[in-house]
Amino acid sequence: MTHPRSALPVIAVAAVLALAGCTAEPAYAPRHVSGDTPAGDAVELAADGLDGALEELPAIVERVLEESGVPGAAVAVVKDDELLFADGFGVKVIGGDDPIDKETVFQIASMSKPIGATVVATQVDAGVVDWDTPAAPLVPGFALSDPWVTDHVTIGDLYAHRSGLPMAAGDDLEDVGYDRDEVLQRLRFEPLDPFRTTYNYANFGMTTGAQAVANAAGVDWETLSEQELYEPLGMDSTSSRYEDFVARDDRATLHALVGGKFQPLYERDPDAQSPAGGVSSNVVDIAKWMSLIIGQGSSAGTDLIDSEALTPAISAEVVSGHPPFPGRPGMYGYGFNVGSQPSGRVTLSHSGAFTLGAATNFQIVPELGLGVVALTNAGPVGAAEAIVAEFLDRVQFGESTRDWYPAYNGALAHYYAPAGDLAGETAPADPAASGPLESFVGTWSNEYFGDAVVELDGDTLVVKLGPDGGYEFDLEPWDGDTFAFVPTGENAPDGSLSSATFALGGGAGDRMTLQFFDANGLGTWTR
């Protein structure tokens, strides 16, 4: 989930995790240090750190759920190969009585990225691809707006969000109904920022990298993930297909924050961007995966991935967030945030979120051989991050270093800011009259979004976008030939309102600009 209008990407990125501190330290020092001996600049662990944190963890979760209003969560803690804790809290559907347990499957949103990066690492280990393999030759028809960048962009570039694609590139195409192949083909129209020096969080950039790997392996991404990661690790409740998620009886329901309350209003099919946001899983399976990362590619005595293939993914590859004052920048590897704990210990992490109703977070502290994950069934308000952060504070310091829920909640509040240039605006008291409504009717062309059909239904103009005209909205008079419409979907929080402006006649011909879709200058249709 990303908001094209926002400078802060999905919760999954280091800008949010800067609340815990980020650094450019190497991702992998020694695997972990036994006892309480600090390594490097890390502070000494609290005397009863881990045992005390495990004892307090249920109370931490219950308190955060009560404070946030999130209906349910599942949490797991792993140390090396040992599952120390796994349990569910709250309910699958608000107002219901079906409890969440440790086996309940959640949509994990952008936590799919590091899991997908692990799948890529299996293929690097197998010699199918390398992180530095150019992507375009493996994805027929794929191109970016700069031919030189097209020739040189690698799988690693796409997994590090440093291809130059703008933030959220392609998300708007998914919103209006295009599938993965169509989205990837249309990325050629996106303007590019400087290659390899700019970090822009782009779900479909990463999806392009994954598609290149799958094509090289000769199998679809979803099957590749099963064969190379889920099945070998015994992740029996994990899938990269939405249909598998909805087929499970023990699954959590999405809850969106609307009118200040969490409500089970929407479903979210993320198959188009499955490598970046389409995994569903439970905390027991995620714990197995965290053990694999802690073990540098080995788990339960089985060597699944050579550490040399995995290490680039969990190493800092690009600056993901520059602090507004001298401080530690955010860093991103290939699908992983790479930062540090307040104790100085390196951390690997990622969050995930759908504003339509899911939020997740994990953090791994390799030096301690420790990983913790929290999955929730409500939109991003900071609950998952707060649970994880407070637990790790308790492990390392014996107490929390701050009140984490309000801190994360404030950082994520912008995700609920209504989108569109007319949001919060009052319609003119004495608007100019528009031209005859019939004059706006017709088929309008756009090389990026495809055709938009404008129809007249009684006295109302209706716009239909997408491959089958399935993304539909009404135009309401605003002022002259400017109309208002309510956008919908993952990137349009409650209260969003945008303009549709028509310019008829003149030397440029007839034009229609939908401001909500114009974040990258691609939102004008011609007739």
Side-chain angles (χ1 to χ4, degrees), residues 29-54:
R31 179 179 174 189
H32 63 272
V33 180
S34 61
D36 297 337
T37 305
D41 295 329
V43 301
E44 188 171 330
L45 290 177
D48 71 337
L50 182 55
D51 290 340
L54 289 168

Side-chain angles (χ1 to χ4, degrees), residues 67-286:
E67 187 174 357
S68 65
V70 170
V75 178
V77 178
V78 64
K79 183 168 175 60
D80 299 323
D81 290 331
E82 183 181 0
L83 181 63
L84 300 181
F85 182 95
D87 206 354
F89 303 83
V91 293
K92 297 171 185 173
V93 182
I94 197 164
D97 57 5
D98 191 4
I100 287 175
D101 57 44
K102 66 181 181 181
E103 302 289 347
T104 300
V105 174
F106 293 75
Q107 292 181 270
I108 68 172
S110 281
M111 261 181 55
S112 305
K113 292 176 171 65
I115 291 176
T118 311
V119 175
V120 175
T122 69
Q123 300 308 286
V124 173
D125 185 24
V128 174
V129 296
D130 193 77
W131 291 107
D132 292 331
T133 297
L138 297 173
V139 184
F142 170 76
L144 297 174
S145 59
D146 184 321
W148 190 92
V149 176
T150 300
D151 290 342
H152 290 83
V153 67
T154 67
I155 292 166
D157 292 327
L158 293 161
Y159 261 84
H161 301 300
R162 64 185 184 196
S163 66
L165 282 168
M167 194 185 86
D171 283 7
D172 43 13
L173 294 174
E174 181 191 20
D175 281 347
V176 300
Y178 286 105
D179 63 17
R180 185 185 309 170
D181 289 342
E182 279 292 337
V183 175
L184 300 192
Q185 293 296 314
R186 293 166 189 253
L187 293 179
R188 69 184 65 226
F189 300 114
E190 294 276 10
L192 295 179
D193 285 326
F195 182 45
R196 289 185 180 154
T197 63
T198 307
Y199 172 92
N200 290 325
Y201 193 90
N203 291 310
F204 283 98
M206 185 173 288
T207 298
T208 302
Q211 191 63 53
V213 175
N215 289 348
V219 64
D220 64 85
W221 174 260
E222 294 75 14
T223 301
L224 182 68
S225 300
E226 287 175 345
Q227 294 177 347
E228 301 297 328
L229 185 62
Y230 306 156
E231 291 176 359
L233 276 185
M235 298 172 68
D236 299 330
S237 296
T238 303
S239 176
S240 295
R241 299 183 184 89
Y242 181 67
E243 66 178 4
D244 292 340
F245 170 71
V246 297
R248 298 190 186 277
D249 293 329
D250 189 2
R251 59 182 171 90
T253 296
L254 299 181
H255 293 79
L257 186 62
V258 176
K261 297 180 180 180
F262 284 115
Q263 303 179 51
L265 301 175
Y266 306 110
E267 295 181 353
R268 173 73 164 97
D269 179 350
D271 276 353
Q273 55 163 282
S274 178
V279 174
S280 58
S281 188
N282 61 25
V283 293
V284 175
D285 281 5
I286 298 295

